[in-house]
Amino acid sequence: MITGITGQDGAYLAQHLLERGYRVVGAFRRASTVATTRLDSLGITDEIEMVPFDLTDHGNMRRVIDAVEPDEIYNLAAQSFVGVSFEQPVTTGEITGVGVVRLLEAIREANPEIRFYQASTSEMFGKAPAPQNEETLFHPRSPYAVSKLYAHWSTVNYREAYGMHASSGILFNHESPLRGAEFVTRKITLAAARIKHGLQDELKLGNLDARRDWGYAREYVEAMRLMLQQPEPGDYVIATGETHSVREFVEAAFEAAELDWEQHVVTDPAFLRPAEVDLLLGDITKAKKKLGWEPKTTFKDLVALMVEADLKRAAFEARHGRESAEIR
């Protein structure tokens, strides 16, 4: 069972598990419609059993777990946008933090033998010195990161207190053409593509000097599955071991679109965070040794494949006057 299955990671993870013969149940937050665009793009929607699931409702979670009887639960659901967490800190804490404890408790009550994956984040490191690994002290710098840290330590606590196979993947930034347009990387690649096709003139960004460790989401979900196949649970940093600035991402994206970024990109204080994370750089020694996992896609190749997908989308929009539903 995958919570947050309609997001970037949920879609890629579902595809990865289906390819390995899993029965996949997708848990989604009930709304008037289910946003299956990413699943549709990968052509896997019809292969997934979808169930309404609410991280604020313990009773609902317990009933779903009893009905589905999963062997593994991957919790990818969260209010996951850092900027929004400053505007909605309580909601972020309720869903991204406390919601995980509700889920862990529902698993403990229903069947503590279920293997559990918690999507932790490099944002928990915040101001911690780089490179960051599983032993680095956390210093979160946003309500989102604080909420994720609460969920992370709760996962550790349930592992130690109840002997549950509960693991956390401390994933550094991971991107793809399925990334939401509100995230800075996709905002950049989509803008470059739209500028190339005459659909917009400029791109407004905040701090161009912030540095991140960026990898390919499709590869990162493989590490999630590997964690739950280990004899013993644990926490793993998943990253590339390289760091690049937002400015470097901009340069690579506009180069891929054959544009001069300096003619189109402007900085806007409105996009600056109240507390910035300056540098994230992951050390994946443990993941390499214990999981046999390491990244394959380079930074420039990642940016290029995102731009390529967005150029196709922008070309469709230029021709038809509307956005394409295809985001692969």
Side-chain angles (χ1 to χ4, degrees):
M1 186 168 78
I2 304 171
T3 73
I5 195 164
T6 58
Q8 167 189 258
D9 292 7
Y12 281 132
L13 178 60
Q15 182 184 51
H16 180 66
L17 297 179
L18 286 167
E19 290 172 349
R20 281 150 185 79
Y22 275 66
R23 168 198 173 202
V24 176
V25 176
F28 67 95
R29 180 167 52 89
R30 183 179 289 282
S32 56
T33 58
V34 184
T36 61
T37 309
R38 293 180 176 87
L39 302 174
D40 295 342
S41 184
L42 297 178
I44 59 174
T45 307
D46 293 341
E47 300 178 61
I48 299 167
E49 303 168 42
M50 302 291 283
V51 293
F53 197 78
D54 190 340
L55 285 172
T56 66
D57 187 334
H58 175 85
N60 166 253
M61 289 191 285
R62 175 63 193 275
R63 287 189 294 274
V64 170
I65 292 170
D66 285 340
V68 171
E69 297 184 331
D71 301 295
E72 301 172 356
I73 293 178
Y74 297 84
N75 181 44
L76 311 184
Q79 190 302 98
S80 59
F81 189 43
V82 175
V84 170
S85 77
F86 284 102
E87 300 298 323
Q88 301 178 3
V90 177
T91 299
T92 300
E94 184 68 29
I95 296 170
T96 306
V98 180
V100 177
V101 178
R102 291 194 189 93
L103 178 52
L104 284 163
E105 189 65 8
I107 293 170
R108 186 183 71 84
E109 292 174 356
N111 177 10
E113 297 302 310
I114 294 171
R115 296 194 171 199
F116 176 75
Y117 172 84
Q118 167 58 18
S120 289
T121 171
S122 60
E123 288 287 330
M124 300 187 307
F125 291 121
K127 287 188 70 175
Q132 294 109 0
N133 62 28
E134 295 81 4
E135 305 303 320
T136 302
L137 294 178
F138 298 112
H139 189 152
R141 296 272 284 171
S142 68
Y144 166 72
V146 171
S147 300
K148 279 289 191 178
L149 186 55
Y150 176 69
H152 177 82
W153 280 117
S154 295
T155 302
V156 173
N157 181 248
Y158 271 73
R159 179 168 74 218
E160 295 178 349
Y162 304 113
M164 293 170 58
H165 196 294
S167 297
S168 287
I170 308 173
L171 271 59
F172 281 61
N173 295 67
H174 46 291
E175 318 298 324
S176 78
L178 300 189
R179 189 59 138 159
E182 70 273 19
F183 290 88
V184 68
T185 50
R186 184 79 196 296
K187 179 179 177 181
I188 292 167
T189 61
L190 187 57
R194 296 186 84 250
I195 290 169
K196 180 71 174 181
H197 284 278
L199 296 169
Q200 71 182 69
D201 297 321
E202 66 177 17
L203 167 62
K204 294 181 179 180
L205 294 172
N207 181 11
L208 296 180
D209 296 319
R211 302 184 68 85
R212 295 291 184 270
D213 185 324
W214 276 300
Y216 187 19
R218 189 190 289 271
E219 296 171 357
Y220 281 37
V221 301
E222 298 173 9
M224 299 178 186
R225 182 186 65 84
L226 289 170
M227 289 178 210
L228 296 200
Q229 313 317 308
Q230 302 307 303
E232 300 295 329
D235 306 321
Y236 295 86
V237 163
I238 303 299
T240 68
E242 294 183 9
T243 186
H244 298 273
S245 67
V246 174
R247 180 178 283 102
E248 288 176 76
F249 199 103
V250 170
E251 291 172 349
F254 277 73
E255 179 183 339
E258 299 180 332
L259 294 169
D260 180 357
W261 73 273
E262 292 183 295
Q263 293 184 13
H264 303 282
V265 178
V266 296
T267 55
D268 186 339
F271 293 104
L272 297 176
R273 297 178 184 176
E276 182 59 82
V277 174
D278 296 316
L279 172 61
L280 293 176
L281 173 62
D283 173 0
I284 59 170
T285 302
K286 181 179 178 181
K288 283 184 178 180
K289 181 179 179 181
K290 293 202 169 185
L291 303 181
W293 181 92
E294 57 184 314
K296 303 177 184 69
T297 304
T298 67
F299 172 73
K300 283 223 166 184
D301 286 347
L302 170 64
V303 178
L305 70 88
M306 291 178 67
V307 172
E308 180 182 7
D310 280 330
L311 283 169
K312 292 177 182 177
R313 286 173 57 84
F316 181 95
E317 184 181 355
R319 287 195 307 268
H320 301 282
R322 58 183 174 85
E323 292 185 7
S324 169
E326 177 60 65
I327 56 176
R328 185 162 33 193

